[in-house]
Amino acid sequence: MSNILELVRDELLREAKTSPAILLELAQLEKYIAETYSSRVFVELLQNADDAKSKKFLVDVSDDYLICANDGDIFSYTNFYGLCRNAASDKSRGSSIGYRGIGFKSIAEIATEAHIISGETKATFSKSLTREVLGVSSNIPLIRIPHHLAISKNSDIENRVKDILNSGYSTIFIFTGINKDKIANEFQLFDSDFLLFLNNIENVSLENIHTKKEYSCKRLPQSNTEYESQITSSNQTNNWRIFTGLNCSLAISLIDKDLVSLKPENALAHAFLPTNEQTGMPVRVNADFSTDPSRTRIALDETTYRCIYSLCDLIEQICRSLLSTSINKLYEFLKVITPNFEILTIKMQRKVFKTEFVLELQKRLCFLENHLILVPAWFNEVDTNNIISRKIRKKHIFTTDDNMIINFLKFLNVKSLQFQDIFDYLDTENHLSRTGNIEIIAFILQNIIMLRDKYPIKKLPILESKNGQIINALELTKTPHSLSEDFIIALSSKININEFNSVFLDITGKVTVKSELSIDVTNNSKQSIKEYPHDLIISNATTNSTINVNLTQSNNLLSEWRSAELYLLDILSSRGYKVEDRSRQNLGYDLYAIKDNIEYFFEIKLLDSIGKPFIITSNEEVVAREYKDKYIIALIVKKREEVQVSFIQNPAENLSFVRQCRQWVWECSEYVFNPVIFKLDV
């Protein structure tokens, strides 16, 4: 339509003359838009070009003017009308990149005049021309009233425009009265990532007097919902695997066809073009998120949450598909969507895009607990796989030494192979490798108090005889078997042989390493231990007690191989607590103890000397705040002839911690050490 300019111009002039005050309001709004969209003019024009189905986008910067051009669809009446009016774009939300119809107004930040040539539509936006035609001198907006094209004949601009039109471009924006510094800044900030989630643009060229930047984007379909994108600039090429869902996309970086994780600062959410919001995972995502006016921050409104749900639907579909087609590819995918921040305390963190995204993803991926199982940190992958294939056929093993991935899978409720599973496997006369047998023996020794009453340890076929047979401890003591020398050498490199002898080889058949203790308790407060309602530990937190321990076994409780956790576990067990060693489970405490239906959570800190600072991790600090009086720090100091243990109840409230920049741990250097002293009569 050749009279588009006239139709729009006549309507807007009538409106301005009828309601002159509206121009002042629009001028203030335009100023606000220009400021909040600062350094995004090139980006806005790029997205407009993509919405117009352009393949090419050009930026040409001269000393006197700026030209931006594309080869997309020319302006229709509705397009041009939306350009002149604020928020009057014909783009529906979700159907294109832009939808507000205000992005073009941001050019008021970089120029005093704007000219448009698109097919037969040729117009100029100029404050001076608008004031002249309206006969006013007040402040008015730049982009409102279109005028007939006002570019000098035979000028450098006109000649350059002809060259651009002859090169196949169909829509050209010319800006004069330019702010050179701001344009130079935009030129510098333009990035190849701007092309990542565009739909149509294939080539971008930026030129100024000194520099020419070229970008290209190739999109190679892999399936109906997946394609690979190669974005090339003058100094690098980035490859991406992009998955598409309902009005959303997920982009994963590729190196040699392998999925790789992005650094947190590069893992951004796009509202079609990049925002400053991190995704919380080492990937980029794109959807029609609501943003602040600057388009740099995502607003957590109903529309944004719908976008989050769509993204989580997409990720769930990918996981389910990979689970049924390629378990190895599923593993690779899970590694690159593992959150890159502390998820153990996610519910206590401030609500931002990444926390809401990851929490919703947790709900969608909880089905994986029925299909995956983790290799325990203390056990090998080969034997785990054999056990899974025999006993838990429906699950696939996941092995990694990356704590972030392990924590993520635990966050999704994926469990590790349990000792019960291994015991059941061995109980049916199946055998492990030598490595597996030694790992089992080491695990038993480290957790003997927890395991001894539940499992017939001596019946497990985990010993290797001299003739190569796999036997159990009872067979070894009842027959003239002897252990393989190679087995003993391998075993001795992992465990304390004396402890092994006391557990597996004594002929009494008792599976125990707990010393028989005769306990004599004296107490500064002159109270009997029986007077405490249920708990020696809490009652002695403010008093000193001396406990004389007579050892009746040659293996003493303070052998160097014993850990502080197991030492305290013995002490608590001897006083009637039911205790579980949970030190390997990264729960924020080491021992779980219960007596008289009251639970306690013990975190053990082994000190070289009294008064030495100790640290707690962020995870331990969070758990301490949750359990309050039920959470107890046990400070243990070992000396030559005694061990002193000081119990500190509710440390989150009763101690002062200072955050240290190590690995986000908390340090306490001021505490009262009130010991319960264990003297050894050897």
Side-chain angles (χ1 to χ4, degrees), residues 564-627:
E565 287 90 348
L566 292 181
Y567 175 67
L568 183 60
L569 193 151
D570 273 341
I571 295 298
L572 295 174
S573 297
S574 70
R575 284 152 180 76
Y577 289 84
K578 183 178 179 182
V579 189
E580 295 180 12
D581 182 355
R582 297 181 177 177
S583 59
R584 293 176 174 272
Q585 299 176 29
N586 195 30
L587 298 175
Y589 59 90
D590 296 315
L591 301 182
Y592 168 81
I594 185 169
K595 184 178 181 182
D596 297 337
N597 294 321
I598 298 178
E599 298 177 309
Y600 295 101
F601 305 86
F602 287 88
E603 174 62 30
I604 292 91
K605 301 297 179 184
L606 186 61
L607 305 179
D608 293 335
S609 60
I610 296 172
K612 183 176 181 179
F614 64 90
I615 64 173
I616 65 172
T617 65
S618 292
N619 186 29
E620 291 164 359
E621 192 263 348
V622 168
V623 176
R625 291 191 181 280
E626 178 182 355
Y627 290 132

Side-chain angles (χ1 to χ4, degrees), residues 238-241 251-255 257-262 282-284 336:
N238 294 321
N239 293 288
W240 301 84
R241 176 74 50 79
I252 302 175
S253 180
L254 290 177
I255 296 180
K257 295 291 184 179
D258 293 327
L259 306 180
V260 295
S261 299
L262 296 173
V283 298
R284 293 204 178 203
V336 295

Side-chain angles (χ1 to χ4, degrees), residues 392-556:
I392 320 174
R393 291 184 176 86
K394 66 178 181 178
K395 292 192 176 183
H396 306 277
I397 68 167
F398 193 107
T399 179
T400 178
D401 56 3
D402 189 320
N403 286 332
M404 293 287 284
I405 298 173
I406 292 172
N407 287 340
F408 178 49
L409 291 173
K410 289 181 177 179
F411 180 69
L412 301 178
N413 210 32
V414 175
K415 303 294 192 302
S416 296
L417 182 72
Q418 301 297 302
F419 182 81
Q420 180 69 57
D421 301 319
I422 301 173
F423 178 84
D424 291 343
Y425 176 80
L426 293 171
D427 197 41
T428 56
E429 298 184 355
N430 293 300
H431 294 158
L432 301 173
S433 66
R434 175 187 287 177
T435 298
N437 287 331
I438 292 174
E439 289 169 340
I440 287 293
I441 293 169
F443 181 79
I444 290 171
L445 296 182
Q446 291 170 357
N447 299 275
I448 186 62
I449 297 174
M450 182 174 63
L451 300 175
R452 63 187 175 190
D453 296 329
K454 187 174 181 181
Y455 299 98
I457 301 298
K458 288 199 170 185
K459 292 184 178 180
L460 291 177
I462 52 177
L463 306 178
E464 185 179 318
S465 70
K466 204 165 189 176
N467 61 10
Q469 289 182 286
I470 302 298
I471 59 176
N472 60 44
L474 292 178
E475 292 175 306
L476 188 67
T477 57
K478 292 178 180 179
T479 61
H481 287 289
S482 60
L483 293 179
S484 160
E485 292 181 6
D486 290 341
F487 180 74
I488 293 173
I489 292 172
L491 188 64
S492 62
S493 68
K494 295 290 185 181
I495 58 110
N496 181 287
I497 292 296
N498 290 332
E499 179 64 11
F500 168 74
N501 290 337
S502 70
V503 173
F504 287 94
L505 303 184
D506 64 285
I507 60 174
T508 64
K510 294 179 181 178
V511 184
T512 178
V513 293
K514 183 180 176 183
S515 301
E516 298 297 328
L517 305 176
S518 63
I519 303 174
D520 173 37
V521 178
T522 58
N523 174 307
N524 292 343
S525 66
K526 305 301 182 184
Q527 292 177 314
S528 166
I529 198 170
K530 293 182 180 179
E531 293 176 352
Y532 297 129
H534 53 74
D535 186 8
L536 167 67
I537 301 305
I538 302 303
S539 299
N540 276 327
T542 58
T543 62
N544 292 339
S545 295
T546 301
I547 300 180
N548 296 317
V549 182
N550 295 315
L551 303 178
T552 60
Q553 293 186 356
S554 59
N555 293 312
N556 104 41

Side-chain angles (χ1 to χ4, degrees), residues 234-352:
S234 57
N235 56 2
Q236 65 179 353
T237 296
N238 294 321
N239 293 288
W240 301 84
R241 176 74 50 79
I242 299 180
F243 301 88
T244 59
L246 181 61
N247 297 324
C248 66
S249 303
L250 169 75
I252 302 175
S253 180
L254 290 177
I255 296 180
D256 296 330
K257 295 291 184 179
D258 293 327
L259 306 180
V260 295
S261 299
L262 296 173
K263 294 180 179 179
E265 61 269 23
N266 294 326
L268 300 176
H270 289 225
F272 297 100
L273 293 165
T275 69
N276 292 337
E277 293 282 356
Q278 294 185 10
T279 63
M281 294 178 282
V283 298
R284 293 204 178 203
V285 299
N286 175 59
D288 190 21
F289 302 114
S290 296
T291 66
D292 66 358
S294 70
R295 304 290 296 275
T296 60
R297 290 293 176 188
I298 293 177
L300 293 176
D301 63 4
E302 184 178 343
T303 299
T304 291
Y305 277 106
R306 282 200 299 269
C307 293
I308 289 174
Y309 301 152
S310 292
L311 281 166
C312 291
D313 285 342
L314 172 61
I315 294 173
E316 179 186 353
Q317 291 167 11
I318 295 169
C319 287
R320 289 187 181 277
S321 174
L322 293 175
L323 183 64
S324 63
T325 57
S326 173
I327 193 67
N328 289 332
K329 289 185 178 180
L330 173 63
Y331 293 167
E332 293 303 312
F333 182 75
L334 289 174
K335 288 177 182 178
V336 295
I337 63 166
T338 293
N340 52 27
F341 66 101
E342 181 55 71
I343 57 174
L344 295 179
T345 60
I346 188 171
K347 292 185 179 179
M348 300 180 64
Q349 298 181 33
R350 181 174 64 91
K351 280 187 177 183
V352 291

Side-chain angles (χ1 to χ4, degrees), residues 47 50-51 95-99 197-199 271-273 288 295:
Q47 77 170 33
D50 194 72
D51 286 340
S95 65
S96 60
I97 294 178
Y99 68 91
F197 291 112
L198 297 182
N199 298 313
F272 297 100
L273 293 165
D288 190 21
R295 304 290 296 275

Side-chain angles (χ1 to χ4, degrees), residues 186-229:
E186 291 224 16
F187 193 97
Q188 181 67 30
L189 291 177
F190 194 93
D191 190 87
S192 60
D193 289 339
F194 294 168
L195 281 66
L196 181 58
F197 291 112
L198 297 182
N199 298 313
N200 301 293
I201 296 289
E202 295 178 354
N203 294 285
V204 174
S205 178
L206 279 70
E207 303 177 24
N208 64 21
I209 297 173
H210 308 289
T211 309
K212 182 174 183 179
K213 296 181 179 181
E214 299 281 356
Y215 303 89
S216 66
C217 180
K218 296 179 181 178
R219 302 175 182 89
L220 305 174
Q222 304 296 305
S223 68
N224 291 336
T225 59
E226 182 182 343
Y227 66 93
E228 289 188 6
S229 178

